[in-house]
Amino acid sequence: MSDVLAGTAALLDPAIGLCLLIGVLLGTLVGAVPGITATMAVALAAGFTLTLEPLQGLAVLLSIYVAAQFGDRVPAILVNTPGTPASIASTFDGYPLAQQGRAGIALTSSALASAAGALAGILILVLAAQPLASVALRFGPAEMFALVVFGLTMMVGVSGSNVLRGLVAGAAGLLLGTVGRDPITGDTRFTFGMTELSSGIPFIAAIIGLFGIAELFNQIVETKHKNTPAPITQLGAWWPTRAERRELLKPSAIGTGVGAVVGVVPAAGGDIAGVIAWAQAKRASKHPERFGHGSLEGLASADSASTATMGGSVTTTLALGVPGDSVMAVMIGSMIIWGLQPGPALFVESPDLVYSLAAIMVLATVLALALALVRMQGVVKLLALPQQYLTAIIISFCIVGTYAVQSSVFDVVLMLCFGVVGLLMRRFGFPAGPMVLGLILGPLAESNLRRALVIDGVETVLTSPIAVGLILLSLGAVLLPWLRSTSKARKLRARVPENAR
């Protein structure tokens, strides 16, 4: 109880309140502009927050993360374009509702369902993080190595339809993670005589390049080929009737349940949860024929699920030290720079921090909901802002944010290089997520594996039930998508008549 009181009392600092408010405003704006993901915004903000106190910086980053889950529904509903990947399923019924003249009701219903899902996810964080960390405290080097491998392969497993490309990207990240000093001997490796690389690849420069600059470069390349529908600016009635509010309850409960489970799985973010919850709500609905044609049930299930994943994602990140999603991967890097190592030890060294973060997320959810319930005409106007203006502003912030971390021009050049690499990866279908995780978790996996080998040899990994179980789960995460696609291909070939081949 003392930890709870200490954690919540820390938020009485006016500076933290200001940081939280700034984060909510930024997150709402970020979500409302298609193409600017929450990961990109958090990565960019990370460079500016490193000069703040840890809790102040985390208040900015977490509130951006939370508020972006509300703002991204605006373009999904009004323009049929997801503001972030988490709102993909919101387009299924949100845009049809807007076309029916119910855009205001759709936006309000979405905000209410999103808030319900977010608060339920935060409750999971409060209840599950400590027990999960208590179990993980018993992990030795072998178990930690297996856990890190599990986190890496889970990201690869959900990185897209091509598992091989995900594996290649993850391997490239692991290779980048070896740059710098050897974790055991301290010898420099792969620095090519550049002292700037002696501490490893600058994390902030890498993530801003891979997520921010690469996304902007990709938008520039695709600008001529985009046919974005004109935004619907007539919102109509904005508050759902009593019958419509009752209609939201069941799908919101389904979405919250799905999101709570999916969120705990490393790397399975709101986009996956939203699609799964939408399908489950359709099966449970009395009117499944409305789904995809303007159903409030479909919208509520998708949005509550995508926000419910946040609590589980933060739980996995704090308790196990394995990023729950790409945003948490960025936050892990920032926390390490602040001297906070996510994982079981965090609950011993800073037990009140978890409750502070949960309180920040609750306040950010309430503020984001209040902002979303406003008519949002100002946010709607952002959708008509010329893309070239946004691109110039964001590139400038990327450069300034990267330079501010270490006052290094080398970091800026490296960021631009990673931007080009990220663009090429996107164009050829290689996901950036596994590369980032490899860069973050690679050194942790290497150091734990080598410690385990030094202590007891290779048998220490093979004789630990926990390590073996996690490694088997990791193999399943990589092999199951491949086996599933192979099975589908065989069934399709079996259905094709022999003379048609």
Side-chain angles (χ1 to χ4, degrees):
M1 180 61 72
S2 60
D3 292 335
V4 177
L5 293 175
T8 53
L11 271 62
L12 297 176
D13 183 357
I16 293 178
L18 179 61
C19 290
L20 196 149
L21 180 60
I22 292 173
V24 168
L25 292 174
L26 289 175
T28 301
L29 294 176
V30 162
V33 180
I36 307 178
T37 66
T39 305
M40 175 181 171
V42 171
L44 177 56
F48 292 94
T49 58
L50 293 179
T51 58
L52 301 175
E53 293 295 322
L55 195 56
Q56 296 173 1
L58 289 171
V60 175
L61 301 183
L62 270 179
S63 54
I64 289 175
Y65 179 39
V66 171
Q69 307 296 319
F70 288 80
D72 63 356
R73 274 52 170 172
V74 177
I77 292 171
L78 300 182
V79 193
N80 200 30
T81 302
T84 70
S87 62
I88 289 173
S90 303
T91 63
F92 297 170
D93 288 292
Y95 189 63
L97 282 167
Q99 289 179 312
Q100 297 168 14
R102 303 171 70 192
I105 290 176
L107 288 169
T108 302
S109 300
S110 170
L112 294 173
S114 297
L119 293 174
I122 296 166
L123 183 62
I124 293 173
L125 168 62
V126 173
L127 297 179
Q130 184 74 51
L132 190 60
S134 299
V135 174
L137 274 173
R138 304 173 185 173
F139 283 17
E143 290 79 12
M144 285 304 300
F145 164 73
L147 180 63
V148 173
V149 171
F150 175 67
L152 286 166
T153 53
M154 284 303 296
M155 173 61 89
V156 172
V158 299
S159 60
S161 57
N162 196 318
V163 177
L164 180 60
R165 286 191 174 95
L167 285 171
V168 171
L174 290 172
L175 182 61
L176 290 174
T178 63
V179 175
R181 295 192 179 277
D182 185 290
I184 304 297
T185 66
D187 298 330
T188 56
R189 306 179 301 186
F190 307 114
T191 60
F192 303 101
M194 291 181 279
T195 56
E196 294 88 350
L197 294 177
S198 60
S199 298
I201 300 289
F203 176 75
I204 297 297
I207 58 174
I208 290 180
L210 287 172
F211 287 107
I213 298 295
E215 177 63 32
L216 292 175
F217 285 172
N218 191 54
Q219 289 181 24
I220 292 171
V221 171
E222 293 185 345
T223 296
K224 296 181 181 180
H225 307 288
K226 283 186 176 179
N227 292 312
T228 304
I232 296 174
T233 57
Q234 299 301 318
L235 303 184
W238 67 280
W239 190 254
T241 64
R242 179 179 297 180
E244 289 170 333
R245 293 197 299 274
R246 283 200 300 267
E247 189 179 348
L248 300 176
L249 296 177
K250 181 179 177 181
S252 294
I254 293 173
T256 298
V258 171
V261 174
V262 173
V264 178
V265 179
D271 49 349
I272 296 172
V275 173
I276 294 175
W278 186 86
Q280 294 302 316
K282 182 178 181 180
R283 291 179 183 178
S285 175
K286 296 180 180 179
H287 303 284
E289 71 282 356
R290 297 178 184 173
F291 279 63
H293 302 284
S295 169
L296 283 177
E297 290 182 275
L299 182 65
S301 61
D303 289 347
S304 58
S306 62
T307 55
T309 60
M310 291 188 294
S313 177
V314 177
T315 301
T316 302
T317 303
L318 296 180
L320 302 179
V322 176
D325 56 23
S326 56
V327 176
M328 288 297 105
V330 175
M331 288 194 62
I332 280 185
S334 297
M335 292 179 72
I336 291 173
I337 294 175
W338 278 315
L340 301 171
Q341 178 62 59
L346 182 67
F347 290 78
V348 176
E349 299 168 359
S350 306
D352 57 321
L353 179 63
V354 178
Y355 300 105
S356 294
L357 299 184
I360 287 171
M361 293 181 70
V362 169
L363 292 175
T365 299
V366 173
L367 287 174
L369 173 62
L371 190 59
L373 292 179
V374 179
R375 298 284 293 184
M376 299 191 78
Q377 291 289 358
V379 177
V380 171
K381 290 179 181 178
L382 279 176
L383 301 177
L385 191 65
Q387 183 64 39
Q388 59 267 30
Y389 296 153
L390 286 173
T391 300
I393 293 171
I394 294 168
I395 287 180
S396 299
F397 275 109
C398 287
I399 293 173
V400 174
T402 303
Y403 181 81
V405 177
Q406 301 185 102
S407 300
S408 172
V409 176
F410 178 85
D411 288 5
V412 175
V413 174
L414 195 64
M415 175 203 68
L416 295 174
C417 292
F418 271 106
V420 175
V421 171
L423 173 64
L424 293 175
M425 291 177 67
R426 287 170 183 266
R427 305 307 294 179
F428 289 98
F430 289 89
M435 176 177 282
V436 171
L437 272 187
L439 178 61
I440 298 171
L441 298 181
L444 185 60
E446 179 190 4
S447 60
N448 279 290
L449 176 61
R450 290 176 64 180
R451 288 191 186 98
L453 295 177
V454 169
I455 295 171
D456 290 316
V458 69
E459 61 271 14
T460 187
V461 178
L462 301 178
T463 57
S464 169
I466 296 176
V468 172
L470 288 171
I471 290 174
L472 290 176
L473 286 173
S474 302
L475 290 173
V478 175
L479 294 177
L480 283 178
W482 176 76
L483 293 174
R484 193 180 297 115
S485 61
T486 303
S487 176
K488 287 183 179 179
R490 287 178 180 175
K491 290 180 181 179
L492 287 174
R493 285 197 299 269
R495 292 174 184 173
V496 177
E498 188 66 34
N499 57 6
R501 296 181 183 176

